[in-house]
mmCIF file with all atom_site columns, all heavy atoms in Angstrom:
data_model
loop_
_atom_site.group_PDB
_atom_site.id
_atom_site.type_symbol
_atom_site.label_atom_id
_atom_site.label_alt_id
_atom_site.label_comp_id
_atom_site.label_asym_id
_atom_site.label_entity_id
_atom_site.label_seq_id
_atom_site.pdbx_PDB_ins_code
_atom_site.Cartn_x
_atom_site.Cartn_y
_atom_site.Cartn_z
_atom_site.occupancy
_atom_site.B_iso_or_equiv
_atom_site.pdbx_formal_charge
_atom_site.auth_seq_id
_atom_site.auth_comp_id
_atom_site.auth_asym_id
_atom_site.auth_atom_id
_atom_site.pdbx_PDB_model_num
ATOM 1  N N   . ILE A 1 6  ? -20.108 9.354  -5.351 1.00 96.00 ? 253 ILE A N   1
ATOM 2  C CA  . ILE A 1 6  ? -19.610 9.877  -4.084 1.00 96.00 ? 253 ILE A CA  1
ATOM 3  C C   . ILE A 1 6  ? -18.389 10.734 -4.401 1.00 96.00 ? 253 ILE A C   1
ATOM 4  O O   . ILE A 1 6  ? -17.748 10.542 -5.434 1.00 96.00 ? 253 ILE A O   1
ATOM 5  C CB  . ILE A 1 6  ? -19.246 8.728  -3.110 1.00 96.00 ? 253 ILE A CB  1
ATOM 6  C CG1 . ILE A 1 6  ? -19.023 9.253  -1.691 1.00 96.00 ? 253 ILE A CG1 1
ATOM 7  C CG2 . ILE A 1 6  ? -18.048 7.942  -3.608 1.00 96.00 ? 253 ILE A CG2 1
ATOM 8  C CD1 . ILE A 1 6  ? -18.896 8.152  -0.641 1.00 96.00 ? 253 ILE A CD1 1
ATOM 9  N N   . THR A 1 7  ? -18.089 11.694 -3.546 1.00 96.00 ? 254 THR A N   1
ATOM 10 C CA  . THR A 1 7  ? -16.864 12.469 -3.723 1.00 96.00 ? 254 THR A CA  1
ATOM 11 C C   . THR A 1 7  ? -15.709 11.736 -3.046 1.00 96.00 ? 254 THR A C   1
ATOM 12 O O   . THR A 1 7  ? -15.912 10.897 -2.163 1.00 96.00 ? 254 THR A O   1
ATOM 13 C CB  . THR A 1 7  ? -16.995 13.862 -3.104 1.00 96.00 ? 254 THR A CB  1
ATOM 14 O OG1 . THR A 1 7  ? -17.162 13.733 -1.681 1.00 96.00 ? 254 THR A OG1 1
ATOM 15 C CG2 . THR A 1 7  ? -18.185 14.611 -3.693 1.00 96.00 ? 254 THR A CG2 1
ATOM 16 N N   . TRP A 1 8  ? -14.485 12.080 -3.438 1.00 97.00 ? 255 TRP A N   1
ATOM 17 C CA  . TRP A 1 8  ? -13.335 11.467 -2.792 1.00 97.00 ? 255 TRP A CA  1
ATOM 18 C C   . TRP A 1 8  ? -13.282 11.823 -1.310 1.00 97.00 ? 255 TRP A C   1
ATOM 19 O O   . TRP A 1 8  ? -12.889 11.002 -0.479 1.00 97.00 ? 255 TRP A O   1
ATOM 20 C CB  . TRP A 1 8  ? -12.035 11.912 -3.482 1.00 97.00 ? 255 TRP A CB  1
ATOM 21 C CG  . TRP A 1 8  ? -11.812 11.277 -4.812 1.00 97.00 ? 255 TRP A CG  1
ATOM 22 C CD1 . TRP A 1 8  ? -11.815 11.887 -6.026 1.00 97.00 ? 255 TRP A CD1 1
ATOM 23 C CD2 . TRP A 1 8  ? -11.555 9.889  -5.073 1.00 97.00 ? 255 TRP A CD2 1
ATOM 24 N NE1 . TRP A 1 8  ? -11.582 10.977 -7.028 1.00 97.00 ? 255 TRP A NE1 1
ATOM 25 C CE2 . TRP A 1 8  ? -11.410 9.742  -6.471 1.00 97.00 ? 255 TRP A CE2 1
ATOM 26 C CE3 . TRP A 1 8  ? -11.434 8.761  -4.263 1.00 97.00 ? 255 TRP A CE3 1
ATOM 27 C CZ2 . TRP A 1 8  ? -11.151 8.509  -7.073 1.00 97.00 ? 255 TRP A CZ2 1
ATOM 28 C CZ3 . TRP A 1 8  ? -11.168 7.527  -4.861 1.00 97.00 ? 255 TRP A CZ3 1
ATOM 29 C CH2 . TRP A 1 8  ? -11.027 7.411  -6.245 1.00 97.00 ? 255 TRP A CH2 1
ATOM 30 N N   . GLU A 1 9  ? -13.707 13.035 -0.967 1.00 97.00 ? 256 GLU A N   1
ATOM 31 C CA  . GLU A 1 9  ? -13.691 13.438 0.443  1.00 97.00 ? 256 GLU A CA  1
ATOM 32 C C   . GLU A 1 9  ? -14.644 12.590 1.269  1.00 97.00 ? 256 GLU A C   1
ATOM 33 O O   . GLU A 1 9  ? -14.286 12.088 2.355  1.00 97.00 ? 256 GLU A O   1
ATOM 34 C CB  . GLU A 1 9  ? -14.046 14.922 0.566  1.00 97.00 ? 256 GLU A CB  1
ATOM 35 C CG  . GLU A 1 9  ? -13.007 15.875 -0.002 1.00 97.00 ? 256 GLU A CG  1
ATOM 36 C CD  . GLU A 1 9  ? -13.032 15.968 -1.531 1.00 97.00 ? 256 GLU A CD  1
ATOM 37 O OE1 . GLU A 1 9  ? -13.995 15.447 -2.159 1.00 97.00 ? 256 GLU A OE1 1
ATOM 38 O OE2 . GLU A 1 9  ? -12.077 16.540 -2.086 1.00 97.00 ? 256 GLU A OE2 1
ATOM 39 N N   . ARG A 1 10 ? -15.877 12.428 0.777  1.00 97.00 ? 257 ARG A N   1
ATOM 40 C CA  . ARG A 1 10 ? -16.855 11.618 1.506  1.00 97.00 ? 257 ARG A CA  1
ATOM 41 C C   . ARG A 1 10 ? -16.437 10.155 1.543  1.00 97.00 ? 257 ARG A C   1
ATOM 42 O O   . ARG A 1 10 ? -16.616 9.464  2.553  1.00 97.00 ? 257 ARG A O   1
ATOM 43 C CB  . ARG A 1 10 ? -18.240 11.765 0.867  1.00 97.00 ? 257 ARG A CB  1
ATOM 44 C CG  . ARG A 1 10 ? -18.920 13.094 1.126  1.00 97.00 ? 257 ARG A CG  1
ATOM 45 C CD  . ARG A 1 10 ? -20.240 13.171 0.372  1.00 97.00 ? 257 ARG A CD  1
ATOM 46 N NE  . ARG A 1 10 ? -21.085 12.016 0.639  1.00 97.00 ? 257 ARG A NE  1
ATOM 47 C CZ  . ARG A 1 10 ? -21.819 11.390 -0.281 1.00 97.00 ? 257 ARG A CZ  1
ATOM 48 N NH1 . ARG A 1 10 ? -21.814 11.802 -1.542 1.00 97.00 ? 257 ARG A NH1 1
ATOM 49 N NH2 . ARG A 1 10 ? -22.559 10.361 0.049  1.00 97.00 ? 257 ARG A NH2 1
ATOM 50 N N   . LEU A 1 11 ? -15.878 9.679  0.443  1.00 97.00 ? 258 LEU A N   1
ATOM 51 C CA  . LEU A 1 11 ? -15.420 8.296  0.396  1.00 97.00 ? 258 LEU A CA  1
ATOM 52 C C   . LEU A 1 11 ? -14.319 8.065  1.424  1.00 97.00 ? 258 LEU A C   1
ATOM 53 O O   . LEU A 1 11 ? -14.336 7.069  2.160  1.00 97.00 ? 258 LEU A O   1
ATOM 54 C CB  . LEU A 1 11 ? -14.914 7.964  -1.004 1.00 97.00 ? 258 LEU A CB  1
ATOM 55 C CG  . LEU A 1 11 ? -14.266 6.589  -1.170 1.00 97.00 ? 258 LEU A CG  1
ATOM 56 C CD1 . LEU A 1 11 ? -15.273 5.477  -0.937 1.00 97.00 ? 258 LEU A CD1 1
ATOM 57 C CD2 . LEU A 1 11 ? -13.635 6.455  -2.554 1.00 97.00 ? 258 LEU A CD2 1
ATOM 58 N N   . THR A 1 12 ? -13.368 8.979  1.491  1.00 97.00 ? 259 THR A N   1
ATOM 59 C CA  . THR A 1 12 ? -12.274 8.849  2.453  1.00 97.00 ? 259 THR A CA  1
ATOM 60 C C   . THR A 1 12 ? -12.809 8.806  3.878  1.00 97.00 ? 259 THR A C   1
ATOM 61 O O   . THR A 1 12 ? -12.387 7.965  4.687  1.00 97.00 ? 259 THR A O   1
ATOM 62 C CB  . THR A 1 12 ? -11.283 10.008 2.284  1.00 97.00 ? 259 THR A CB  1
ATOM 63 O OG1 . THR A 1 12 ? -10.763 9.997  0.949  1.00 97.00 ? 259 THR A OG1 1
ATOM 64 C CG2 . THR A 1 12 ? -10.133 9.890  3.268  1.00 97.00 ? 259 THR A CG2 1
ATOM 65 N N   . ASP A 1 13 ? -13.716 9.708  4.202  1.00 97.00 ? 260 ASP A N   1
ATOM 66 C CA  . ASP A 1 13 ? -14.286 9.730  5.555  1.00 97.00 ? 260 ASP A CA  1
ATOM 67 C C   . ASP A 1 13 ? -15.049 8.441  5.847  1.00 97.00 ? 260 ASP A C   1
ATOM 68 O O   . ASP A 1 13 ? -14.951 7.883  6.950  1.00 97.00 ? 260 ASP A O   1
ATOM 69 C CB  . ASP A 1 13 ? -15.217 10.935 5.725  1.00 97.00 ? 260 ASP A CB  1
ATOM 70 C CG  . ASP A 1 13 ? -14.456 12.243 5.849  1.00 97.00 ? 260 ASP A CG  1
ATOM 71 O OD1 . ASP A 1 13 ? -13.251 12.202 6.179  1.00 97.00 ? 260 ASP A OD1 1
ATOM 72 O OD2 . ASP A 1 13 ? -15.054 13.303 5.594  1.00 97.00 ? 260 ASP A OD2 1
ATOM 73 N N   . ALA A 1 14 ? -15.814 7.956  4.861  1.00 97.00 ? 261 ALA A N   1
ATOM 74 C CA  . ALA A 1 14 ? -16.593 6.729  5.072  1.00 97.00 ? 261 ALA A CA  1
ATOM 75 C C   . ALA A 1 14 ? -15.669 5.529  5.282  1.00 97.00 ? 261 ALA A C   1
ATOM 76 O O   . ALA A 1 14 ? -15.929 4.677  6.144  1.00 97.00 ? 261 ALA A O   1
ATOM 77 C CB  . ALA A 1 14 ? -17.522 6.486  3.887  1.00 97.00 ? 261 ALA A CB  1
ATOM 78 N N   . LEU A 1 15 ? -14.585 5.455  4.514  1.00 97.00 ? 262 LEU A N   1
ATOM 79 C CA  . LEU A 1 15 ? -13.647 4.345  4.683  1.00 97.00 ? 262 LEU A CA  1
ATOM 80 C C   . LEU A 1 15 ? -12.943 4.434  6.034  1.00 97.00 ? 262 LEU A C   1
ATOM 81 O O   . LEU A 1 15 ? -12.737 3.407  6.701  1.00 97.00 ? 262 LEU A O   1
ATOM 82 C CB  . LEU A 1 15 ? -12.618 4.348  3.560  1.00 97.00 ? 262 LEU A CB  1
ATOM 83 C CG  . LEU A 1 15 ? -13.130 3.979  2.164  1.00 97.00 ? 262 LEU A CG  1
ATOM 84 C CD1 . LEU A 1 15 ? -12.008 4.123  1.142  1.00 97.00 ? 262 LEU A CD1 1
ATOM 85 C CD2 . LEU A 1 15 ? -13.688 2.560  2.139  1.00 97.00 ? 262 LEU A CD2 1
ATOM 86 N N   . ALA A 1 16 ? -12.578 5.633  6.443  1.00 98.00 ? 263 ALA A N   1
ATOM 87 C CA  . ALA A 1 16 ? -11.919 5.791  7.747  1.00 98.00 ? 263 ALA A CA  1
ATOM 88 C C   . ALA A 1 16 ? -12.837 5.327  8.871  1.00 98.00 ? 263 ALA A C   1
ATOM 89 O O   . ALA A 1 16 ? -12.400 4.613  9.787  1.00 98.00 ? 263 ALA A O   1
ATOM 90 C CB  . ALA A 1 16 ? -11.509 7.251  7.954  1.00 98.00 ? 263 ALA A CB  1
ATOM 91 N N   . GLU A 1 17 ? -14.103 5.704  8.803  1.00 97.00 ? 264 GLU A N   1
ATOM 92 C CA  . GLU A 1 17 ? -15.040 5.278  9.839  1.00 97.00 ? 264 GLU A CA  1
ATOM 93 C C   . GLU A 1 17 ? -15.249 3.770  9.801  1.00 97.00 ? 264 GLU A C   1
ATOM 94 O O   . GLU A 1 17 ? -15.376 3.125  10.849 1.00 97.00 ? 264 GLU A O   1
ATOM 95 C CB  . GLU A 1 17 ? -16.379 6.009  9.672  1.00 97.00 ? 264 GLU A CB  1
ATOM 96 C CG  . GLU A 1 17 ? -16.301 7.503  9.927  1.00 97.00 ? 264 GLU A CG  1
ATOM 97 C CD  . GLU A 1 17 ? -15.848 7.826  11.344 1.00 97.00 ? 264 GLU A CD  1
ATOM 98 O OE1 . GLU A 1 17 ? -16.224 7.084  12.287 1.00 97.00 ? 264 GLU A OE1 1
ATOM 99 O OE2 . GLU A 1 17 ? -15.106 8.811  11.523 1.00 97.00 ? 264 GLU A OE2 1
#
Side-chain angles (χ1 to χ4, degrees):
I253 193 170
T254 64
W255 286 113
E256 292 77 11
R257 287 176 52 220
L258 174 65
T259 301
D260 286 340
L262 290 176
E264 293 299 324

